[in-house]
Amino acid sequence: VGITDEEQRESEGTTSTVDSPGFMSLFAHKPVAVFAMMFAWTVSSMVFYGLSFAAGNIPGSSIYTNSFALSFFEIPGVVSTLWMLESPMGRKGTTVASMLVAGVSCVAVFFASSADHTKLILSVMGKLGISAAFSTVYMYASELFPTSNRTKGMALCSLSARVGTFIAPQIVNMGGGIPFLIFGALGCLGACTSMLLPETRGQRLKD
């Protein structure tokens, strides 16, 4: 009986390998979308953790009440995406809308009166919006990158988010309403750049 080619390769101790695409191949196709997604992760993480860190900067209530309210309303923010992602809004519309809600709310905190609980209510709206955005970009990114590069793409986005997390407390340390103005401006900018992303709802995943 003759020896097959496969058996011959095994006997020689050689195996066939499939070359994995390099890291820079992430930017070979639609680099603008990749940078937009990275920025979306950075903004989502920065505003999400920044609002939590800024609980003591919200006048009108104790830091404990503020922290509880900001944490509790993460739940409806995340749950709402279960419907929005499969609605006509899709991934792109959900990301843009939720970031815009967070951005406008945070900017409004800067200009709102400190006499009542207005700042807390607006901060809670911002946390709800950014919670929805943060949970959305996880699914969005996994659908944006092709299978051959998905792991690298998700790692790059996660790295971008950690940069936002690192910067957030530095902004909060500015004190007063300035952090909310910065978080709001970044949220609105993130909504604008997310409009550059392609819609992936109902689309076949790329190989």
Side-chain angles (χ1 to χ4, degrees), residues 82-135:
L82 298 176
W83 171 79
M84 291 191 295
L85 286 172
E86 297 303 325
S87 72
M89 295 177 66
R91 281 56 164 159
K92 181 177 180 177
T94 301
T95 303
V96 172
S98 54
M99 280 197 177
L100 192 60
V101 168
V104 172
S105 298
C106 288
V107 171
V109 172
F110 178 79
F111 295 102
S113 171
S114 303
D116 49 24
H117 296 292
T118 304
K119 286 184 179 291
L120 176 58
I121 294 173
L122 291 170
S123 298
V124 165
M125 290 178 60
K127 191 60 176 295
L128 187 150
I130 205 63
S131 296
F134 210 173
S135 61

Side-chain angles (χ1 to χ4, degrees), residues 44-58 66-67 70-71 74 102-103 105-106 109 119 122-131 168-169 172 179-180 183-184:
S44 296
S45 180
M46 186 187 303
V47 178
F48 180 87
Y49 290 107
L51 288 176
S52 296
F53 296 148
N57 294 13
I58 305 173
N66 296 342
S67 296
L70 290 170
S71 300
E74 292 175 19
S105 298
C106 288
V109 172
K119 286 184 179 291
L122 291 170
S123 298
V124 165
M125 290 178 60
K127 191 60 176 295
L128 187 150
I130 205 63
S131 296
V172 172
F180 296 98
F183 292 145

Side-chain angles (χ1 to χ4, degrees), residues 37-50 53 134 138 154-171 183 186:
M37 181 58 73
M38 290 170 59
F39 187 68
W41 277 64
T42 302
V43 171
S44 296
S45 180
M46 186 187 303
V47 178
F48 180 87
Y49 290 107
F53 296 148
F134 210 173
Y138 272 91
M154 294 297 291
L156 183 62
C157 288
S158 182
L159 173 63
S160 302
R162 300 294 79 79
V163 172
T165 306
F166 172 78
I167 297 174
Q170 317 309 320
I171 297 176
F183 292 145
L186 288 172

